[in-house]
Amino acid sequence: MFQDRKICKRCVMPESKPDIRLNEEGVCNLCLEYEKNKGRQKKQRPPLESDLTALLKKYRTKGEYDCLVMCSGGKDSTAALYFMKKRYKLNPLAFTFDNGFETEEALENARSASEKLGADHLLFKTDKMKKMFADAVKRHPEVVLCHLCSIWYMDLTFRMAERFDIPVIVAGWTRGQSTERAGVAEYRYGKDRREFTGMGEATRRFLKEYTRENPGYRDFPKSIEEVIKKARKRHRTVEISPHWFLPYSEEEYTDLITKELGWKAPENSYPAKSTNCGLNFLSVYNSMKHYGYTHYHVEMSKMIRAGLMTRDEALESLAINFDKELLNFWAAKLGHRFEEI
Ligand SMILES: [Zn+2]
């Protein structure tokens, strides 16, 4: 489906000039920078479970809910909900956002996990994103749909935390997605990340223009930085993921929620063994076409550098595993069709 690009020998980032370049040995500038910084930094101990319990204690309030768990129904977020309720005996509010394209399998996982755990569950489904996604796919294929969506759902998450006066936001972020406590989403798509320079610029340009031209979207945030800045002024929260602190591997907690909660893996997903909305296939296709990689390549490369994943494992889950039919099945929902694939 895509032309082969030269890929870094250490991670899985392809050459994508000017931001990602390979040297004569076939190693990318991001891996070289990582090596250089690793030597300079003081060795930090990895986060421990006691750090997590200390944080949860520090932010504990007398409110009705102890934490808001962003639960999409995927394995990482379902396990996060499980840990909050079962392991730490907290009262979480599970929050599922449906941009209109979530799969029934994912929604059912979120619903059934909340029910089995006896956690309150809030589902927010909107039709508002559909027009924006459709316009982006048709006219601005360089825009990464996942970025638009994550801006929207982080904004919504902060608003829900404020609405219910909840101090802790919990997500299923893995160590490849982020290891920083605050400003998680900022870290993922922020301006200063070289891997996201091109993608980030495309998102900002699109949102600036789109919100100006479409009055119904005037209040839509222009960037993730704007979302976080405004949220911090309204309500104090800390954003964390149990996966940064707990020693369990992905396989271990997937087994746990499968046995305890009846969690089911989706039939089709990209990357392999993940859960994402149907538009993810479109987003991946356009990202590969325009940049030669997706944000999943960035996350897994980070995990490889940190020794949390092997390069072969990453290459296996990142192999394109969907076809034209599946792509056009989801594109049709936006009134679009990919002709040349
Ligand atoms: Zn590399």
Side-chain angles (χ1 to χ4, degrees):
M1 207 183 260
F2 302 102
Q3 284 172 343
D4 282 339
R5 290 189 188 223
K6 273 197 282 178
I7 297 176
C8 170
K9 273 186 183 163
R10 289 193 198 163
C11 68
V12 287
M13 294 303 291
E15 183 145 72
S16 182
K17 284 172 183 165
D19 300 317
I20 299 153
R21 301 171 309 274
L22 304 188
N23 70 6
E24 280 165 17
E25 279 90 53
V27 179
C28 78
N29 51 324
L30 304 170
C31 283
L32 294 173
E33 267 166 44
Y34 178 85
E35 276 302 309
K36 211 165 87 187
N37 291 335
K38 208 169 94 178
R40 273 194 214 141
Q41 277 165 1
K42 268 195 284 174
K43 203 158 166 55
Q44 283 179 330
R45 70 163 173 83
L48 299 172
E49 185 172 16
S50 52
D51 299 325
L52 174 60
T53 46
L55 259 172
L56 293 172
K57 201 172 156 198
K58 183 178 164 195
Y59 282 88
R60 192 116 196 218
T61 61
K62 289 195 173 68
E64 185 175 3
Y65 299 108
D66 301 308
C67 54
L68 182 76
V69 182
M70 299 164 75
C71 184
S72 65
K75 59 181 179 332
D76 307 320
S77 65
T78 305
L81 179 64
Y82 177 87
F83 288 134
M84 289 305 126
K85 181 80 188 178
K86 286 279 185 189
R87 198 171 173 98
Y88 305 115
K89 313 276 184 258
L90 297 178
N91 186 23
L93 174 62
F95 179 41
T96 305
F97 29 84
D98 182 357
N99 60 15
F101 302 89
E102 288 300 337
T103 62
E104 254 322 296
E105 299 160 297
L107 294 173
E108 180 50 34
N109 274 334
R111 225 172 0 236
S112 121
S114 315
E115 210 174 291
K116 284 188 177 137
L117 289 167
D120 286 359
H121 185 205
L122 189 63
L123 169 69
F124 185 97
K125 181 175 176 167
T126 185
D127 214 29
K128 188 181 165 107
M129 296 300 287
K130 189 173 175 180
K131 183 178 141 42
M132 186 189 271
F133 288 147
D135 290 344
V137 163
K138 284 176 209 166
R139 286 189 279 279
H140 296 278
E142 75 284 5
V143 172
V144 180
L145 299 183
C146 296
H147 287 201
L148 301 179
C149 191
S150 64
I151 288 173
W152 168 71
Y153 83 62
M154 275 315 297
D155 188 47
L156 210 56
T157 301
F158 282 123
R159 287 180 191 281
M160 290 304 125
E162 185 191 352
R163 163 69 184 78
F164 293 97
D165 198 18
I166 303 174
V168 180
I169 292 173
V170 177
W173 294 302
T174 60
R175 284 186 212 178
Q177 288 170 335
S178 179
T179 44
E180 292 188 8
R181 260 177 29 215
V184 162
E186 196 171 23
Y187 183 76
R188 289 185 68 183
Y189 302 121
K191 281 185 225 182
D192 53 339
R193 297 291 305 277
R194 198 174 307 215
E195 300 98 311
F196 291 128
T197 309
M199 295 179 185
E201 267 169 25
T203 308
R204 273 189 293 280
R205 209 169 38 234
F206 172 78
L207 280 176
K208 203 173 157 195
E209 193 187 299
Y210 200 79
T211 50
R212 199 177 51 220
E213 289 169 2
N214 296 275
Y217 293 81
R218 210 170 337 182
D219 296 333
F220 196 92
K222 317 286 180 292
S223 66
I224 201 78
E225 290 85 358
E226 181 189 316
V227 170
I228 294 167
K229 203 170 146 195
K230 288 192 175 165
R232 296 269 183 262
K233 282 188 191 157
R234 296 192 308 258
H235 179 64
R236 187 171 173 237
T237 55
V238 63
E239 301 88 41
I240 51 168
S241 166
H243 305 306
W244 303 336
F245 304 91
L246 291 174
Y248 303 115
S249 69
E250 189 183 292
E251 285 74 26
E252 284 169 322
Y253 62 71
T254 305
D255 266 4
L256 190 68
I257 55 168
T258 306
K259 279 191 200 111
E260 299 269 323
L261 305 176
W263 183 86
K264 289 191 188 83
E267 206 178 314
N268 293 308
S269 74
Y270 183 90
K273 294 193 234 161
S274 68
T275 302
N276 287 298
C277 89
L279 297 189
N280 184 55
F281 297 111
L282 275 58
S283 189
V284 165
Y285 176 78
N286 277 340
S287 285
M288 290 299 287
K289 207 166 160 183
H290 286 271
Y291 305 100
Y293 61 92
T294 66
H295 54 275
Y296 303 114
H297 290 71
V298 176
E299 288 161 12
M300 289 188 196
S301 290
K302 235 187 116 212
M303 290 182 81
I304 296 168
R305 287 179 209 123
L308 298 165
M309 188 180 216
T310 69
R311 187 171 178 273
D312 285 344
E313 282 167 349
L315 286 172
E316 198 186 318
S317 36
L318 290 169
I320 297 295
N321 59 0
F322 53 89
D323 56 16
K324 193 176 170 175
E325 269 62 46
L326 188 65
L327 200 59
N328 275 324
F329 170 83
W330 288 100
K333 294 185 189 285
L334 296 179
H336 186 61
R337 189 171 169 79
F338 291 95
E339 293 299 341
E340 294 164 33
I341 296 181

